[in-house]
Each structure stands twice: as structure tokens, then as C-alpha cells.
Amino acid sequence: MSSVREFPRSHRLSRAPGNGRRLRWAIAVVAAVALIGCAAPRGGDESADVTCNSAQQCRVEVRVDCSKQPCRIVVDHPNVFARGNDIVWTVVNNAGQSYAFSRDDGVAFKSAAGRAAFSCHREANQARFACMNHRTPGRFEYAIRLDGSPPVGPLDPWVVN
């Protein structure tokens, strides 16, 4: 007498042609979707992030993109790995644009720690904003605000020391 118990045929997995292929295809699709979700950049195109090895490298260009409505602020480096270096943001206007950094808060760090880590001021007739880095370790979110027409909402990128 055998100790292996046989299940009735109705409880066995179907071995109909194509069932295994469909199951493997479904698993592959689920795995691909999961991998794409894990690989998606956080906070922008990570390949465009900048790691600064000197103050000359810590430059961020700020533009207004109106190719889709509403217009929006975009930067060439969404995350700045400052490594203790000073940072300069410059507004680059397209033809017909006249955007400038907002008078008081063109680049404004959102937390008290961020405001303590950087001393910022406008330069070049509001076309440039410079922040002196006090070399405080951390990750700091900031907002970029521009004045101009049509109006644009703020952009909220990051600086990492």
C-alpha cells in the first residue's frame, strides 16, 4: 500500500496546451511592471543630477517650459549633491520670456535646518541666485519661485550635503 495520496482528476492542475505559456507570460508581465516601478527616478531624471566637486560645478540652470500647459519651471539638475560647495542658480529665458527670481524667495529652503545651512541672495538684476553653503550635512528641500508672465508655480528640488 502506497503512502502517497492521489487527488481526484478534478483537483489536479490542468495540463491543457498553452496554460503553462500563459502563466509564464503573466508572471513575466507582473515582474516587468514591478521592476519598472522600482527603477523609476525619484524627483526627476537622476541622470541629470549633479555632484559638485567645486563651486564652479555647482551651477543650476532654471528655465520655464511652456511646451505643455500650464507653463512650469524646470531645472537642468533636479538634485544637487553640493558636498559643501556654494551653489548658483541662473534663470535662462527663451525668446519672448522675461522671468526673474522672486524678490525675497527666489530660492528658499523649506526647513529651519535648510535655512541655517545656506545663506542665499539675489544677484545680476534678479537673474541669478547664489547660496553660500555652511557645509551642514543633510538633505534639504527648497523652492524656486519666479516672477514673469504667464505665471508659474514653484518647483521643489533638493540639495544634499
Side-chain angles (χ1 to χ4, degrees):
M1 182 166 190
S2 171
S3 64
V4 177
R5 183 174 171 202
E6 287 283 325
F7 286 97
R9 180 138 178 90
S10 61
H11 289 108
R12 292 184 193 163
L13 291 175
S14 171
R15 294 280 185 196
N19 278 354
R21 196 172 323 148
R22 278 182 258 169
L23 178 61
R24 285 191 301 270
W25 183 82
I27 291 170
V29 168
V30 170
V33 169
L35 286 174
I36 290 169
C38 291
R42 292 167 180 83
D45 177 10
E46 289 180 358
S47 64
D49 294 345
V50 65
T51 299
C52 306
N53 293 312
S54 69
Q56 289 76 24
Q57 292 177 322
C58 261
R59 307 273 187 227
V60 179
E61 288 187 355
V62 179
R63 299 176 187 275
V64 174
D65 179 10
C66 292
S67 63
K68 297 178 186 171
Q69 294 299 320
C71 294
R72 62 188 179 97
I73 298 172
V74 295
V75 292
D76 60 343
H77 304 302
N79 293 296
V80 178
F81 296 92
R83 301 175 66 183
N85 293 291
D86 297 344
I87 309 167
V88 175
W89 291 263
T90 304
V91 174
V92 178
N93 283 304
N94 294 324
Q97 292 180 333
S98 58
Y99 288 96
F101 286 106
S102 294
R103 189 167 299 283
D104 296 323
D105 59 356
V107 172
F109 286 86
K110 294 185 164 196
S111 67
R115 290 186 293 276
F118 297 90
S119 300
C120 303
H121 63 277
R122 285 177 296 119
E123 299 176 339
N125 202 24
Q126 292 178 252
R128 192 168 55 224
F129 223 90
C131 290
M132 186 174 80
N133 191 334
H134 299 297
R135 295 175 167 61
T136 305
R139 181 176 165 102
F140 307 100
E141 185 178 21
Y142 65 98
I144 296 174
R145 292 182 179 83
L146 300 178
D147 293 331
S149 183
V152 292
L155 177 68
D156 301 316
W158 294 84
V159 170
V160 179
N161 265 340

